[in-house]
Amino acid sequence: MTRASHGQSSRTSPRYSPVNVDSSDSEDDSNERTPFVKRGRVYQQPEDDEELSVTPGAGLWITFKTRLRYYVPVFRWLPHYSMGGFGHDFIAGLTVACLIIPQSLSYATALAHLDPVHGLYSAFVPGVLYAIFGTSRQLSVGPEALVSMLVGTAIAQQQHASGNSDPQTALAIGCLITLFVGLFTFFLGFVRLGFLDSVLSRALLRGFITAVAVVVIIEQSITLFGLKALAEESGIGEQSSTIEKLVFIVGKFSEIHILTTVVSFSSIIFLLSFGSFKKRLTKLPFLQFVPEILLCVILYTVLTGVFRWDKDGLAILGYTKTAGFPLPSIPATPEGVNVRSLFGTSVLISIIGFVESIVITKQYATKHNYSVSPNRELVAMGVANVFGGLFQAIPAFGSLSRSKINDKAGAHTQLAGFITALIVLLSIFFLLPYFFYLPKAVLAGIICVAALSLLSEAPHDLKFMWQIQAWSDLGLLLLTFVATISVSVEAGTLIAIALSFLLVIKTSTYPRITIMGRMPGTKGKFRAIKDYPGIAEHIDGVLIIKVEEGLYFANTGQLKDRLHRLEVFGDMSVHPSEEARLNPVSHVVFDVENMPSLDASAAQILLEIVEAYHAREIQVYFVKLRENSRELFIKSELLERAGGETHLFRRTADAMDYIERETLALNESEVQV
């Protein structure tokens, strides 16, 4: 039989037929459709592929407009916006603004340890930029508890190392972190690394988030009990570990400030009770939009101002500068600050913030039946934080609680987020003086309630892991939790990300191959022996291997070792120290139907495997080889080394018939000799 030469159309043997596959790959964001109401009808947004495919001879202006609508989504949805939906977006924007304003004040003051106005900058600037570049209609972008705490910890560490406690130094460090977060997040989107949310392990993230919630509660407890002054006298600050803070609180519990403690825990009870009522009284729609956090802030601010609790030792927010809105500027690096360390912290913040945000984005995209692009989300959040860093904001990402309220309030488009940002801007110019008597204990209570919400999913995940006996996942969760609590938040972040990547690498470098056996009573029916233990039968002298995935440089490193173990033991679960369980083989059949592709490294490894088998006088055959892989088999001479076209088959049963005929002919010739 003549083998097809390179560069010509290959001729196939009667026993071989190439497997044709559709090689077209679609992008994640290639079918994004966004319905809008226009003149009483539903406007169906054209597919991205249709917009991006410019016909020959089309003008440069058309090309520019199609690209602009794709990369800047506001030009896609705004021209088709219906004023009929403005009421819903306005109510949603106003409702979220009532929540994000007190949250921004709390996170900036108590977690990031900056002036409260910088929290509002973080709610305004990134909010506007995300409304322009973002693809999610319900995501609320602004300061977040977890991210703000990482910023505050980094600021405290840098100030402690440099010995500079100047507030302007703290602000410069915070702005640099925001700028670095934006640049790195934009870079991730530019190089299309939006799949990162699928890389991080849920168990590791749950352990980390749970630990961070505990760290936040312990840290805020110093303010809740009115022990801030005593903590400073005792040398307990942001650089202190969580364990040290806990020991301090327990040791000084007899010296707590009674009024501060009462205000703190009464505000927490108010917030939790109001939230519980809203969940139970679902039949009262108006109650779902009542901002309990804003009510709590107004209530305790008025009470403190009327009864002058500040004179009784209750710490208040006090005077806040209202210098308007800052001009954009690149933050200068303060003397003694380790920029490399800041960038490392920014990378961790970027990854954690994006993962949290994209989970929320996908959740509401699925609920409302529209598509989002993780890569464009990275670009949007990157641009939002770059400009945030230029305008003295702390890093901003998506919030689950605010996004949930935004959705319930009826947000239809990104205009709701833009309205929220405008209301925040008004508060920057006109409302800050009215927060003079706002107790810091109430801000700490707001943060503790947010931390408790982070803890809410932990029992469910722990119960599920215990139920299915996922001991490895449970161990990883506990490892991350203990590291975050006992060492630092940065250590927990690093461990969660590093272990997630190691697990992905370990899994991706482990080639998925299966040994096949013949089903009893049949001649051409083969099944995986691991799936039919005790039923599928090993064929004496023949090893049938099914390749379950494409082969490339990463997953072929262990291929030789795995093939050897399957040849000797027939099962990868058998320890290598055991005695051989299978008879020596003389034929190896590779079923490569599920191998859609292979690269040069994989082809070279397969060539070495075939040559090693031939050196041991073992014949090699390939079944269901795809046409796109066949070309590489020919170019690399892998097909020739395996035995040419006569060792290619359409079915495993055909290969077995050939092996049986060859074996029978060989036995007859030996008898004649």
Side-chain angles (χ1 to χ4, degrees):
M1 183 172 294
T2 305
R3 187 177 71 251
S5 61
H6 177 57
Q8 298 176 345
S9 60
S10 356
R11 284 180 279 175
T12 58
S13 64
R15 61 174 61 86
Y16 169 73
S17 176
V19 180
N20 295 319
V21 293
D22 183 8
S23 60
S24 61
D25 295 326
S26 59
E27 295 289 340
D28 292 340
D29 48 2
S30 62
N31 59 348
E32 182 177 345
R33 293 174 179 163
T34 309
F36 295 89
V37 177
K38 186 177 182 182
R39 297 178 182 175
R41 295 177 296 175
V42 174
Y43 169 80
Q44 188 66 43
Q45 181 176 335
E47 295 190 2
D48 292 338
D49 285 345
E50 295 176 4
E51 292 195 6
L52 291 177
S53 57
V54 183
T55 58
L60 185 62
W61 174 244
I62 296 177
T63 304
F64 173 76
K65 288 196 299 183
T66 56
R67 300 298 192 272
L68 186 66
R69 287 196 296 268
Y70 179 82
Y71 291 110
V72 188
V74 68
F75 292 107
R76 174 182 296 273
W77 60 264
L78 188 59
H80 307 288
Y81 189 81
S82 170
M83 291 304 296
F86 178 77
H88 296 281
D89 284 335
F90 180 79
I91 294 297
L94 177 62
T95 305
V96 174
C98 294
L99 175 63
I100 199 173
I101 290 173
Q103 278 187 342
S104 301
L105 298 173
S106 303
Y107 297 158
T109 305
L111 293 180
H113 306 289
L114 297 172
D115 288 337
V117 70
H118 299 291
L120 296 177
Y121 292 158
S122 181
F124 170 67
V125 178
V128 170
L129 270 297
Y130 185 82
I132 296 173
F133 291 94
T135 59
S136 175
R137 306 174 201 163
Q138 283 77 33
L139 186 69
S140 173
V141 174
E144 258 296 278
L146 174 57
V147 171
S148 300
M149 183 177 183
L150 291 172
V151 173
T153 304
I155 291 175
Q157 289 177 346
Q158 292 294 330
Q159 286 188 310
H160 179 71
S162 62
N164 187 352
S165 59
D166 180 26
Q168 290 301 317
T169 301
L171 175 60
I173 295 172
C175 293
L176 279 174
I177 291 176
T178 306
L179 186 61
F180 289 157
V181 166
L183 291 173
F184 184 74
T185 307
F186 180 86
F187 171 77
L188 292 180
F190 184 77
V191 297
R192 306 185 66 80
L193 294 180
F195 60 85
L196 282 176
D197 65 299
S198 304
V199 172
L200 298 185
S201 164
R202 180 185 175 95
L204 288 167
L205 280 178
R206 178 56 55 204
F208 171 70
I209 292 174
T210 303
V212 167
V214 174
V215 170
V216 168
I217 292 173
I218 293 175
E219 180 176 323
Q220 295 305 308
S221 295
I222 296 177
T223 304
L224 293 175
F225 291 116
L227 298 173
K228 192 72 175 178
L230 285 175
E232 293 175 355
E233 293 175 4
S234 303
I236 300 296
E238 292 305 315
Q239 73 281 358
S240 304
S241 68
T242 304
I243 303 299
E244 291 174 338
K245 293 175 183 176
L246 181 61
V247 171
F248 167 78
I249 293 171
V250 174
K252 299 292 184 179
F253 192 76
S254 59
E255 302 180 42
I256 63 175
H257 190 261
I258 301 300
L259 177 59
T260 303
T261 304
V262 171
V263 170
S264 301
F265 285 91
S266 62
S267 65
I268 292 175
I269 293 172
F270 175 86
L271 292 172
L272 294 177
S273 301
F274 206 104
S276 178
F277 287 143
K278 289 170 69 173
K279 290 180 180 179
R280 293 180 181 179
L281 302 178
T282 55
K283 295 182 179 179
L284 301 176
F286 71 91
L287 187 63
Q288 307 305 314
F289 305 133
V290 176
E292 66 270 22
I293 293 180
L294 184 62
L295 288 181
C296 181
V297 167
I298 294 174
L299 174 64
Y300 283 94
T301 301
V302 171
L303 289 176
T304 304
V306 171
F307 295 103
R308 295 308 304 269
W309 286 340
D310 56 309
K311 293 184 177 181
D312 296 324
L314 180 65
I316 60 175
L317 190 61
Y319 173 75
T320 303
K321 64 177 182 179
T322 55
F325 203 75
L327 294 175
S329 62
I330 299 177
T333 305
E335 186 177 351
V337 171
N338 189 337
V339 177
R340 183 178 299 178
S341 175
L342 289 183
F343 185 76
T345 301
S346 302
V347 170
L348 300 180
I349 291 174
S350 175
I351 295 176
I352 294 296
F354 167 68
V355 169
E356 282 193 312
S357 301
I358 198 62
V359 168
I360 304 168
T361 298
K362 290 182 177 179
Q363 175 183 338
Y364 288 106
T366 302
K367 178 179 179 180
H368 294 282
N369 193 28
Y370 65 91
S371 298
V372 291
S373 165
N375 293 312
R376 282 190 287 167
E377 284 295 292
L378 279 168
V379 170
M381 292 176 189
V383 172
N385 281 292
V386 165
F387 279 88
L390 298 178
F391 286 97
Q392 302 182 9
I394 58 178
F397 286 96
S399 165
L400 177 59
S401 59
R402 295 196 301 265
S403 300
K404 186 182 298 184
I405 292 174
N406 200 28
D407 177 54
K408 285 184 178 180
H412 285 176
T413 67
Q414 292 89 325
L415 185 63
F418 188 77
I419 292 172
T420 297
L422 289 181
I423 297 174
V424 171
L425 180 63
L426 294 176
S427 71
I428 293 174
F429 284 101
F430 304 111
L431 297 183
L432 278 178
Y434 296 100
F435 293 113
F436 182 89
Y437 288 107
L438 174 60
K440 290 185 177 180
V442 173
L443 296 178
I446 294 172
I447 293 172
C448 285
V449 171
L452 289 174
S453 68
L454 295 177
L455 290 172
S456 60
E457 292 186 15
H460 175 268
D461 285 4
L462 288 171
K463 179 182 177 182
F464 181 77
M465 292 177 191
W466 185 274
Q467 179 179 343
I468 66 173
Q469 299 181 352
W471 309 126
S472 59
D473 285 348
L474 188 60
L476 291 173
L477 185 152
L478 295 176
L479 173 64
T480 311
F481 179 85
V482 172
T484 306
I485 293 290
S486 59
V487 183
S488 67
V489 174
E490 288 79 4
T493 309
L494 188 61
I495 288 175
I497 294 175
L499 285 180
S500 293
F501 276 96
L502 286 175
L503 289 173
V504 171
I505 293 172
K506 177 185 176 182
T507 303
S508 62
T509 57
Y510 200 70
R512 293 192 300 163
I513 57 176
T514 307
I515 186 170
M516 308 292 286
R518 178 182 283 162
M519 297 299 288
T522 66
K523 186 177 181 181
K525 192 174 182 180
F526 300 86
R527 294 292 183 269
I529 291 179
K530 68 176 182 179
D531 295 334
Y532 294 86
I535 301 176
E537 302 171 343
H538 285 283
I539 302 173
D540 193 38
V542 180
L543 184 66
I544 305 176
I545 300 295
K546 186 169 186 176
V547 181
E548 301 283 0
E549 63 182 349
L551 297 179
Y552 64 111
F553 69 95
N555 65 357
T556 50
Q558 302 182 54
L559 186 58
K560 294 179 182 179
D561 179 64
R562 292 208 67 197
L563 287 172
H564 175 71
R565 290 182 63 178
L566 288 176
E567 178 186 343
V568 175
F569 304 111
D571 191 347
M572 289 300 299
S573 62
V574 180
H575 195 273
S577 63
E578 299 286 337
E579 296 293 332
R581 299 188 178 184
L582 297 181
N583 294 327
V585 300
S586 55
H587 303 274
V588 176
V589 179
F590 288 99
D591 183 346
V592 292
E593 179 184 15
N594 294 332
M595 184 184 75
S597 61
L598 76 162
D599 64 2
S601 298
Q604 191 170 7
I605 293 291
L606 284 177
L607 184 61
E608 294 172 0
I609 290 172
V610 169
E611 290 176 344
Y613 278 136
H614 283 178
R616 296 164 52 197
E617 298 184 352
I618 298 175
Q619 298 298 309
V620 180
Y621 310 87
F622 289 93
V623 176
K624 302 175 185 177
L625 180 65
R626 299 194 180 203
E627 186 64 25
N628 57 340
S629 300
R630 189 172 187 270
E631 183 178 355
L632 187 55
F633 269 53
I634 295 173
K635 291 180 179 179
S636 64
E637 299 183 355
L638 177 57
L639 181 59
E640 181 180 355
R641 300 290 179 87
E645 299 282 349
T646 58
H647 281 219
L648 291 181
F649 297 91
R650 291 179 297 175
R651 300 183 307 151
T652 304
D654 295 339
M656 289 305 304
D657 289 341
Y658 179 83
I659 292 171
E660 290 171 359
R661 289 197 303 269
E662 290 291 314
T663 303
L664 181 60
L666 180 62
N667 292 337
E668 290 178 352
S669 63
E670 290 178 351
V671 170
Q672 291 176 0
V673 172

